Amino acid sequence: MGNVKVYPNPCTDLINVTLDHANENATYMLYDLSGNSVNTQYSRQNQSLIINTLGLPNGFYFLSVSTDNSIQHIKILKTN
């Protein structure tokens, strides 16, 4: 998997996610600090993704990006 880019971070209502040089399908799971999944999405090869965080409480979240070959975790701060 290539590098995962997440912006903006901190975010208010949307997170943009892109994978550099990714030629694989990916699963994106957003977790709260208790480990509860609050959003799951899938993308196809080289597809950018927008994750809606509107309605989530302010605080820290973890974005897990997984492909067949690797998993990356990114810490996200949600603010108003």
Side-chain angles (χ1 to χ4, degrees), residues 1-5 18-24 45-46 67:
M1 174 186 330
N3 291 327
V4 178
K5 292 184 180 179
T18 60
L19 299 176
D20 288 344
H21 310 294
N23 291 318
E24 303 174 275
Q45 296 177 359
N46 297 319
T67 67

Side-chain angles (χ1 to χ4, degrees), residues 22-36:
N23 291 318
E24 303 174 275
N25 297 329
T27 301
Y28 302 84
M29 298 184 80
L30 189 64
Y31 295 94
D32 63 18
L33 290 181
S34 298
N36 299 311

Side-chain angles (χ1 to χ4, degrees), residues 1-11 15-19 27-33 51 59-66 71-78:
M1 174 186 330
N3 291 327
V4 178
K5 292 184 180 179
V6 177
Y7 56 93
N9 191 10
C11 69
I15 303 169
N16 296 286
V17 184
T18 60
L19 299 176
T27 301
Y28 302 84
M29 298 184 80
L30 189 64
Y31 295 94
D32 63 18
L33 290 181
I51 298 174
F60 286 101
Y61 294 84
F62 289 99
L63 178 65
S64 173
V65 181
S66 61
I71 298 174
Q72 292 186 32
H73 302 281
I74 298 101
K75 190 177 194 179
I76 306 286
L77 175 58
K78 163 75 165 83

